[in-house]
Amino acid sequence: AESTISAGPSSARSTTSSSASPEPATAAAARAVVALVAERLDTAPEVAAAKYHSGQPVEDAARERTVLDTARTAAERDHVDPDWVEAVFADQIEASKQAQTALLDEWSRYPDRAPAEAPDLTTTVRPTLDRITSELVSGLARLQDVRDDPSCTRDLRRAARAVHVSDAPVQQALPTAIEHLCTVGPGH
Ligand SMILES: C=C(O[C@@H]1C=C(C(=O)O)C=C[C@H]1O)C(=O)O
């Protein structure tokens, strides 16, 4: 049956279309970015495992510079604010080190909880991180348009609460990882 649009008052069409609201776009962009942030942070146990077995320190300043430079270059290519992208990636690095430090501390106190094996950092984990870098910059290109919206922080927190990560030290580092994603709210 064809629907007929009656001119009666009960079916009066609203002059404001629901698609005019910025909210859904903000929520969707926030969810996509938080999923990538969580995926990146969830590599911390593997990175920590590699370092536990190799004895390498958590911090690798040269690698950090490479990560930040790669993110900046991708931002410029995708027309995203490079300073914002660099600040967001600095948070990702900080959050990863926070989770790694907590895990290594736990494993040194309770060696039976330490992973028996570790993936290779250079050939396995870092290539994964590099793939996420480019995906995250694309996600930030979408979030950029709504990062000033008052709803950005709320949508981000909501997405962060709903996201699943592997363990408590990773979960605890999430607030650090989302700190500068929106231009209003925490950190501003
Ligand atoms: C993840 C690592 O640990 C630290 C965190 C980094 C990151 O999040 O990209 C980079 C270098 C390290 O300071 C790593 O060594 O690859």
Side-chain angles (χ1 to χ4, degrees), residues 40 43-44 47 51 56-65 67 89 92-97 100 121 125-126 129:
R40 188 185 200 281
T43 63
V47 178
K51 290 171 181 175
Q56 255 178 286
V58 164
E59 187 166 291
D60 182 335
R63 168 64 182 171
E64 289 185 14
R65 199 59 253 163
V67 169
F89 274 81
Q92 306 318 300
I93 291 170
E94 205 47 51
S96 178
K97 290 193 287 190
Q100 289 178 55
L121 202 54
V125 192
R126 284 180 176 173
L129 289 166

Side-chain angles (χ1 to χ4, degrees), residues 82-118:
D83 290 336
W84 177 53
V85 168
E86 185 165 345
V88 167
F89 274 81
D91 286 345
Q92 306 318 300
I93 291 170
E94 205 47 51
S96 178
K97 290 193 287 190
Q98 204 177 303
Q100 289 178 55
T101 301
L103 286 162
L104 286 165
D105 181 61
E106 182 188 336
W107 299 337
S108 78
R109 286 192 287 150
Y110 310 99
D112 56 309
R113 296 185 194 168
E117 284 169 45

